[in-house]
Amino acid sequence: MRVKILLFFFFSFIVNSVFAQQKAVVFGTVKDEEGKLFPLVTISVKGTSIATKTDEQGYYELRVPADTNISIMYAYIGYQSENLNIKLKGNERFRADKKFIQKSINVSEVIVQSDEERTSTITKIDAKLLSSLPSASGNFEAILKTLPGVNSNNEMSSQYNVRGGNFDENLVYVNDVEIYRPFLVRSGQQEGLSFINADLVSSVKFSAGGFEARYGDKLSSVLDIRYKKPKDFGGSFSAGLLGTSFSFEGTNKNRRLSYLVGFRQKTTRYLLGTLDVDGDYQPSFYDFQTFISYDINTDWEISFLGNINTNNYTVIPQSRETTFGTFNEVLRLTVFFQGQEIDKYQSGMGAITATYHPNNNLNLKFISSRFQTDERETFDIEGQYIFDEIESNFGKSTFGQVKANRGVGGFLNHARNFLFASVQSYEHKGSLQKEENLWNWGVKYQHEVIDDRLSEWKLIDSADYAAPDLDNTIVLQDVVKAKIDLSSNRVHGFIQHTRPISAKHDLKLSMGIRATYWDYTDELNVSPRATLSYKPDWKKDWVFRASWGHYNQPPFYRELRNFDGTLAKDPKAQRSIHYVFAADHQFKFFGGRKFRFISELYYKEMKNIIPYEIDNVRIRYYANEKADAYAMGADFKVNGEFVKDLESWFSLSFLKTEENLLNDFYTIKNDAGVDSAKVFPGYIPRPTDQRFNFSIFFQDKLAKDPSVKVHLNIVFGARLPFGPPDFERYKDTLRMPPYWRADIGFSKEWVGKKMGGAAKIGPFKNIMLYAEVFNLFKRSNTISYLWIRDVRDQQYAIPNFLTSRQLNLRLVGRF
């Protein structure tokens, strides 16, 4: 059946390509007087309804009638209009770049800002800022962690939580293709390179909640990435202590064919040397991506997006020494290891997109994509530990020495886990602009295959003697033995309508509905969503926005699997209703520089929630349990040019999220050891209940030499809940220390003659040298805990610390 569908699609594609009406294309970029790319400029054909606007990169493409004289107008309020008289042949592509000159009238209050960004929950991020952000991981997602509502307590990981959700609740798209995260990864140091290659990114859109129906079925957030469609030849390279990258782009002579290629290599060996565990770390991560686009004619375009990613992580641990406790009680754990861990994560993705746009108002896409991953996790690690109390009295001669031994013991961790997964999808998406009305729709079929082989266990002996049970066998802990083969199909569909309700009052409404069906559970979910925006006729520029919607997330694979490796008996979609209220104020300050202040209040009501626990970045679900939950909070952000020509921002977030496991209780025993009462815990904090979060991304430059800049990234996150490893969810109400760190970078730029500079750097447009200090204040942040017992059978949580202070150097060049 699928073959017939593909043949029908291919035949229709060929027929339409051959018999398409003859048109021509005018394309180019628009810049202002300072040479900066100019978004939202209106380009239209005089005397017709043919029109378009420049995108975030100042680029436009306008389909115009061929073999006839036409007059093209370029217009933006406050700037002098431009005209172009031209006659083109059928299928001809003509480049017309324009420079806009500001009128002499006072336009000090004109701020160029996308309507989409202010009237929806979408936040746009300048992709050019990615290279300036000092980040230990080097992954694209590091910039998201500086936004309000986004939390992360692990600088080595690309994963992030949004408004009380977890990693599995975030949607990620690249060129309309959904991206998946690894399944077996346990810690940030295993992750390596995330999918998104920052060198290839053109635009970034992010929503922390209340997003539109055109986006998928996850509970928390959506990240929408667009890769570049090159207009000229160029590229970049980066080389540093943590890895290298190289990319190049270009077009053929008539600019019908464009290509984008990126290669990345990363090693964190230098960074992992700052962890508590000393050993031989051998991480190696590689990634290759390409995006190729070809304009068959003025109506049809075909493109290919491909990725091959290999992340290898090997470690031979040797020893560990961790000191912790209070001022009056200082404790030290010393561990000696034997064994090794070898992990390998290989994934690949390919997507072919055929786009049909017979005119500037109608856009039809047909997407076929496949993702697959082959993951292997193998380790046998034995540890022998000594647990001591250290003398903390400054007045004693034995200060800093062992005061008393609290216990000795050992452990053995074993795993042989192998997982193969593939996702094949076929999708159609369309959009139609009819005057002030915008229609979006889409339908998608998806086939998933999971082949999982699990074999892991632990042996923990806190008394240095593993006693057998009554059957004379050694008792293992956390035993998981499973063989899972899962194949299922999903169907998604949506329709969305955006229109102004009242032009007089600048009132705009976006309404849509999604439907999802999964044959594994035979469950159909329907999700209506709406956003209303209002811009009052005030002297000051304010926009107010309210969003509401249902978000239903059917389980993928991770949510189906219990702690013991078995699958859930009656899985149902997790459900959330979002209520978001926002105020958006744009203003000028510091001599007319542009600023923006955004505040959002939100409440999320959740049902059928699957409880889970987090250990580092590993999420394990209580797949057969259900919970009611909520999340509420407030996010604030102010961004702008605190220093001329350099954007910075401050983010502040408040959050409270709790859940109540259904039918969850524990019993209290009386003095005779008999159960005497049931206790229902009620609402308890969710694992991501981080009550307060604050972040800064700030840039500055030397007044006498603007080519020397400083880039500061500060993140503070309040204490997260955790609990003992006994799989009793109601006990997870302890709090780990706050997470905070500061990363700082210094850069020097040399601008070549190609860009109007004076530096003699050959073919390069510019070269930048970065010197970065990670964890500037050498903060010991806790990511998880190792639990042991002493000779008195008292249990202790030994903190696992993240990376310490480290220096990094990077050289970046663009040509």
Side-chain angles (χ1 to χ4, degrees):
M1 181 65 181
R2 274 183 276 167
V3 174
K4 292 181 179 179
I5 293 173
L6 284 173
L7 288 174
F8 173 77
F9 164 72
F10 182 74
F11 177 75
S12 301
F13 171 77
I14 295 297
V15 170
N16 279 283
S17 297
V18 173
F19 295 102
Q21 181 183 356
Q22 293 291 299
K23 297 184 181 68
V25 174
V26 179
F27 68 97
T29 56
V30 179
K31 298 181 180 180
D32 63 13
E33 292 175 286
E34 298 178 357
K36 296 181 179 179
L37 297 173
F38 206 140
L40 302 178
V41 174
T42 299
I43 301 102
S44 61
V45 178
K46 188 175 181 180
T48 73
S49 60
I50 300 173
T52 188
K53 289 186 177 182
T54 55
D55 62 15
E56 293 90 344
Q57 306 301 315
Y59 180 75
Y60 74 94
E61 282 193 6
L62 185 69
R63 284 158 186 81
V64 300
D67 301 317
T68 184
N69 293 313
I70 58 173
S71 178
I72 300 177
M73 301 178 62
Y74 299 76
Y76 192 89
I77 185 173
Y79 288 79
Q80 295 179 14
S81 298
E82 295 285 336
N83 293 297
L84 173 65
N85 297 315
I86 196 170
K87 180 180 179 180
L88 301 176
K89 297 178 181 179
N91 288 328
E92 182 179 352
R93 292 176 60 85
F94 181 82
R95 180 162 189 165
D97 297 330
K98 294 293 181 180
K99 178 179 285 188
F100 262 34
I101 299 175
Q102 187 171 303
K103 292 181 180 179
S104 58
I105 61 174
N106 181 17
V107 291
S108 60
E109 295 306 314
V110 174
I111 298 178
V112 179
Q113 191 70 44
S114 168
D115 290 338
E116 179 191 25
E117 186 174 4
R118 304 198 70 196
T119 59
S120 71
T121 62
I122 291 293
T123 296
K124 294 186 178 180
I125 303 170
D126 187 353
K128 296 177 182 178
L129 297 174
L130 300 176
S131 63
S132 299
L133 180 75
S135 164
S137 73
N139 284 324
F140 166 88
E141 290 81 359
I143 199 166
L144 299 180
K145 300 174 184 180
T146 66
L147 301 180
V150 183
N151 306 327
S152 175
N153 277 34
N154 192 338
E155 65 273 4
M156 290 187 293
S157 172
S158 62
Q159 308 305 322
Y160 52 92
N161 310 311
V162 180
R163 292 180 176 173
N166 68 34
F167 311 143
D168 293 328
E169 298 175 9
N170 302 316
L171 281 163
V172 179
Y173 296 97
V174 174
N175 289 12
D176 296 312
V177 179
E178 185 171 355
I179 306 302
Y180 300 89
R181 59 182 290 257
F183 290 87
L184 295 182
V185 167
R186 295 171 182 254
S187 62
Q189 53 262 44
Q190 296 172 332
E191 280 188 17
L193 291 161
S194 68
F195 182 94
I196 301 168
N197 186 336
D199 294 334
L200 311 185
V201 170
S202 170
S203 68
V204 183
K205 299 178 183 178
F206 179 76
S207 174
F211 45 89
E212 300 166 332
R214 61 191 172 115
Y215 294 117
D217 303 287
K218 293 291 183 76
L219 297 182
S220 292
S221 74
V222 61
L223 175 63
D224 188 358
I225 300 290
R226 293 283 169 182
Y227 277 1
K228 302 173 187 175
K229 186 177 179 181
K231 293 91 178 175
D232 296 295
F233 178 77
S236 66
F237 77 89
S238 175
L241 298 179
L242 299 180
T244 59
S245 67
F246 176 77
S247 69
F248 63 92
E249 60 190 65
T251 65
N252 68 344
K253 194 170 184 179
N254 63 8
R255 292 187 171 87
R256 288 189 182 277
L257 174 69
S258 66
Y259 54 89
L260 188 62
V261 178
F263 172 79
R264 293 179 293 169
Q265 178 271 335
K266 175 182 175 181
T267 175
T268 53
R269 187 172 186 176
Y270 174 65
L271 192 63
L272 297 178
T274 67
L275 297 176
D276 276 357
V277 177
D278 293 326
D280 182 14
Y281 291 93
Q282 301 173 25
S284 61
F285 312 116
Y286 301 93
D287 175 89
F288 172 82
Q289 293 189 36
T290 185
F291 177 56
I292 302 171
S293 177
Y294 180 69
D295 293 335
I296 297 175
N297 54 38
T298 56
D299 292 347
W300 280 97
E301 173 190 337
I302 190 167
S303 63
F304 172 75
L305 174 65
N307 164 258
I308 298 174
N309 186 293
T310 299
N311 291 334
N312 297 321
Y313 177 78
T314 299
V315 58
I316 304 174
Q318 297 172 355
S319 64
R320 164 183 176 170
E321 184 175 284
T322 303
T323 303
F324 66 103
T326 64
F327 183 79
N328 295 320
E329 184 184 47
V330 179
L331 304 173
R332 183 171 67 200
L333 176 73
T334 305
V335 187
F336 299 96
F337 297 100
Q338 285 187 329
Q340 65 178 352
E341 176 178 355
I342 302 176
D343 303 324
K344 190 169 186 177
Y345 312 95
Q346 290 184 310
S347 63
M349 190 277 286
I352 297 176
T353 301
T355 304
Y356 177 57
H357 28 215
N359 55 58
N360 296 293
N361 298 323
L362 178 62
N363 193 59
L364 304 176
K365 288 186 177 182
F366 304 91
I367 306 170
S368 175
S369 66
R370 179 178 176 84
F371 163 81
Q372 69 178 44
T373 180
D374 187 357
E375 304 180 16
R376 303 184 177 194
E377 180 185 52
T378 61
F379 56 78
D380 286 288
I381 297 178
E382 179 185 5
Q384 299 292 330
Y385 67 81
I386 304 171
F387 187 39
D388 296 319
E389 181 180 354
I390 306 301
E391 180 59 67
S392 59
N393 190 334
F394 289 98
K396 292 189 176 182
S397 59
T398 56
F399 172 75
Q401 300 179 20
V402 176
K403 179 179 180 180
N405 178 258
R406 291 288 187 92
V408 294
F411 58 84
L412 177 61
N413 296 336
H414 166 88
R416 294 292 185 273
N417 297 330
F418 306 95
L419 180 143
F420 174 84
S422 68
V423 180
Q424 180 78 45
S425 67
Y426 305 94
E427 182 178 7
H428 162 63
K429 300 178 75 172
S431 65
L432 175 64
Q433 183 81 48
K434 197 72 173 176
E435 296 179 347
E436 296 296 324
N437 292 267
L438 175 62
W439 290 91
N440 296 92
W441 64 89
V443 62
K444 179 180 181 181
Y445 165 75
Q446 182 170 303
H447 178 65
E448 304 159 2
V449 175
I450 304 289
D451 180 4
D452 196 8
R453 301 293 183 262
L454 297 168
S455 176
E456 64 176 271
W457 46 263
K458 293 179 181 179
L459 175 60
I460 302 176
D461 178 18
S462 292
D464 200 24
Y465 177 71
D469 62 9
L470 296 177
D471 297 327
N472 201 34
T473 59
I474 299 295
V475 178
L476 304 176
Q477 295 84 31
D478 297 349
V479 178
V480 179
K481 297 280 186 178
K483 295 182 179 180
I484 299 170
D485 295 293
L486 180 64
S487 178
S488 63
N489 303 281
R490 302 176 197 255
V491 178
H492 312 258
F494 76 91
I495 187 169
Q496 178 177 306
H497 181 209
T498 303
R499 67 183 183 92
I501 297 178
S502 171
K504 179 180 178 181
H505 299 290
D506 213 346
L507 197 62
K508 190 175 183 180
L509 175 65
S510 176
M511 297 184 299
I513 189 168
R514 286 191 69 87
T516 303
Y517 174 76
W518 189 28
D519 65 358
Y520 184 81
T521 58
D522 195 28
E523 183 183 22
L524 175 67
N525 295 287
V526 179
S527 308
R529 303 174 190 176
T531 296
L532 178 68
S533 64
Y534 170 60
K535 183 177 182 179
D537 187 16
W538 296 348
K539 288 184 178 181
K540 294 185 177 180
D541 186 357
W542 283 90
V543 173
F544 299 95
R545 186 181 66 246
S547 299
W548 166 89
H550 285 247
Y551 299 84
N552 300 312
Q553 180 174 330
F556 196 51
Y557 174 60
R558 222 182 329 257
E559 299 96 315
L560 287 175
R561 200 176 75 187
N562 279 296
F563 281 70
D564 60 0
T566 59
L567 296 184
K569 298 175 182 177
D570 185 28
K572 296 295 182 183
Q574 301 182 85
R575 307 184 188 280
S576 178
I577 304 177
H578 292 197
Y579 305 88
V580 183
F581 303 93
D584 183 330
H585 178 41
Q586 291 192 154
F587 58 98
K588 291 195 173 183
F589 200 54
F590 293 145
R593 296 201 289 269
K594 306 169 185 177
F595 285 84
R596 186 180 181 199
F597 172 73
I598 305 174
S599 60
E600 292 193 358
L601 304 176
Y602 63 89
Y603 182 84
K604 297 197 287 187
E605 177 185 357
M606 292 174 272
K607 301 288 185 182
N608 284 347
I609 295 301
I610 305 174
Y612 61 90
E613 292 187 355
I614 300 179
D615 182 11
N616 202 307
V617 299
R618 187 191 191 194
I619 300 178
R620 294 189 291 175
Y621 289 89
Y622 297 89
N624 287 323
E625 303 293 335
K626 293 291 184 289
D628 294 335
Y630 71 88
M632 61 181 181
D635 295 333
F636 306 93
K637 178 188 175 185
V638 60
N639 67 285
E641 296 182 4
F642 292 89
V643 176
K644 185 174 174 56
D645 298 326
L646 294 176
E647 184 177 4
S648 304
W649 59 77
F650 296 78
S651 300
L652 176 66
S653 298
F654 299 94
L655 165 70
K656 183 177 183 181
T657 181
E658 294 183 318
E659 65 186 15
N660 179 19
L661 274 68
L662 305 182
N663 304 315
D664 182 41
F665 65 89
Y666 61 92
T667 58
I668 297 178
K669 298 182 182 296
N670 57 25
D671 295 338
V674 179
D675 293 344
S676 61
K678 287 185 177 180
V679 177
F680 293 87
Y683 280 90
I684 60 173
R686 302 191 76 200
T688 54
D689 182 42
Q690 195 166 44
R691 300 292 176 89
F692 174 77
N693 189 273
F694 177 69
S695 60
I696 298 174
F697 175 55
F698 189 83
Q699 300 187 97
D700 200 354
K701 59 186 176 182
L702 292 182
K704 294 184 177 180
D705 186 358
S707 66
V708 178
K709 302 180 181 69
V710 61
H711 319 274
L712 178 65
N713 180 23
I714 298 177
V715 175
F716 176 88
R719 311 195 315 161
L720 282 168
F722 76 101
D726 54 8
F727 309 134
E728 298 288 351
R729 180 70 183 87
Y730 70 88
K731 294 182 181 179
D732 298 346
T733 56
L734 305 173
R735 296 275 178 170
M736 63 176 62
Y739 174 92
W740 68 270
R741 65 181 279 129
D743 300 325
I744 191 170
F746 303 90
S747 66
K748 167 65 178 177
E749 180 180 19
W750 292 271
V751 180
K753 294 182 178 180
K754 283 192 173 185
M755 297 292 288
K760 296 180 180 180
I761 51 178
F764 293 99
K765 295 178 181 178
N766 69 333
I767 291 180
M768 297 193 71
L769 177 65
Y770 290 88
E772 300 168 325
V773 182
F774 302 139
N775 200 355
L776 179 63
F777 300 108
K778 207 175 182 179
R779 164 75 175 178
S780 296
N781 287 305
T782 301
I783 184 59
S784 60
Y785 289 90
L786 171 67
W787 293 82
I788 65 170
R789 295 182 181 274
D790 65 8
V791 293
R792 296 170 295 182
D793 201 36
Q794 183 175 345
Q795 196 171 30
Y796 289 86
I798 315 297
N800 295 316
F801 294 123
L802 287 164
T803 58
S804 185
R805 183 190 296 141
Q806 195 66 292
L807 175 68
N808 183 45
L809 295 175
R810 283 190 297 139
L811 184 66
V812 178
R814 294 179 177 84
F815 54 88

